[in-house]
């Protein structure tokens, strides 16, 4: 069975269209120019794993027709990556079980502060998310048989996590990828990269920088994500080198499961 990835959101923290903006991309008729906040769904042999719970999580789940959630893996604790966590409650209810979350100590600290009510000891907890916390660090971890490698990324002054699973890597929010992380990104079928816009930004990669990263790592296919309204889909994608594309909300990618098995067996 293939590993199936669905892009739930390909936009930057404010989403596209951006509130109050009158630019051409924010008013584009191309559905690929509507970008919810950044997240992907991984269907690993019938197990649904999401990376991050954005402020658009509920809308993303409904739009993608996700009926069951098996786990959440977090990249970091910024608002655009965690604020939808409260909407896991229907999954708790329908599945009658807690949802495992895989999270670094630093990200958990943020989640515990922002969602303090989830972690309070109370008699009745029926109206708050029911979570099983699994702390992750720089060692690989398994989620329902799918092995994740954490890929440390420099995001401004912070270090956050990207992930490699099988021959796919999801590297959102980063200004730089440390050499020791680049060393672990060879032989990829699919590489997702932060590409906020053309102009430099202190905490995010640009289109130009991510083209360089893709050309260095030579994955079979590269998809840019976490994009702002500077980047119209059609015009920007037409300007990219072969093998590099813009992700868009609803994009589905299948990767042979053999790639997962061969990699995780190494
Ligand atoms: Zn972000
Ligand atoms: Zn705009
Ligand atoms: Zn961030």
């Amino acid at each position: 069975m293939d590993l199936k990835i669905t892009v739930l959101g390909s936009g930057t923290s404010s989403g596209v269209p951006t509130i109050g903006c009158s630019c051409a991309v924010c008013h584009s008729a191309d559905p690929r120019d509507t970008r919810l906040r950044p997240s992907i769904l991984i269907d690993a042999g019938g197990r649904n794993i999401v990376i991050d719970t954005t402020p658009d999580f509920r809308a993303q789940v409904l739009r993608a027709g996700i009926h069951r959630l098996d786990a959440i893996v977090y990249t970091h604790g910024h608002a655009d990556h965690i604020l939808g966590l409260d909407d896991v409650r229907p999954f708790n209810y329908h599945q009658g079980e807690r949802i495992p979350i895989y999270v670094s100590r630093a990200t958990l600290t943020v989640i515990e502060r922002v969602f303090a009510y989830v972690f309070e000891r109370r008699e009745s907890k029926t109206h708050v998310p029911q979570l099983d916390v699994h702390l992750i660090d720089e060692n690989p971890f398994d989620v329902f048989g799918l092995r994740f490698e954490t890929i440390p990324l420099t995001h401004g002054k912070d270090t956050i996590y990207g992930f490699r699973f099988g021959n796919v890597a999801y590297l959102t929010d980063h200004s730089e990828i440390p050499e020791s992380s680049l060393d672990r990104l060879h032989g990829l079928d699919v590489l997702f990269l932060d590409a906020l816009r053309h102009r430099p930004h202190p905490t995010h990669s640009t289109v130009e920088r991510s083209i360089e990263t893709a050309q260095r790592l030579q994955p079979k296919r590269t998809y840019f994500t976490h994009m702002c309204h500077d980047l119209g889909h059609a015009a920007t994608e037409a300007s990219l080198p072969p093998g590099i594309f813009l992700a868009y909300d609803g994009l589905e990618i299948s990767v042979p499961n053999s790639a997962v098995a061969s990699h995780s067996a190494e």
Side-chain angles (χ1 to χ4, degrees), residues 13 38 76 78 80-81 155 172-173 204 226:
S13 59
H76 65 306
H78 283 168
D80 52 326
H81 297 261
H155 183 26
T172 183
D173 306 45
H204 286 280
H226 213 297

Side-chain angles (χ1 to χ4, degrees), residues 110-130:
V110 177
I111 289 176
E112 284 175 337
R113 176 161 46 78
V114 174
F115 295 94
Y117 64 92
V118 172
F119 300 91
E120 283 167 3
R121 290 187 176 279
R122 294 194 319 195
E123 281 300 304
S124 169
K125 297 185 76 174
T126 52
H127 300 299
V128 304
Q130 308 284 304

Side-chain angles (χ1 to χ4, degrees), residues 151-163:
I151 307 291
L153 302 172
T154 305
H155 183 26
K157 289 177 182 161
D158 298 324
T159 297
I160 71 146
Y161 283 155
F163 299 102

Side-chain angles (χ1 to χ4, degrees), residues 6 12 21 27 89 123 140 151 161 180:
T6 304
T12 188
C21 185
H27 288 266
R89 289 174 297 140
E123 281 300 304
I151 307 291
Y161 283 155
S180 54

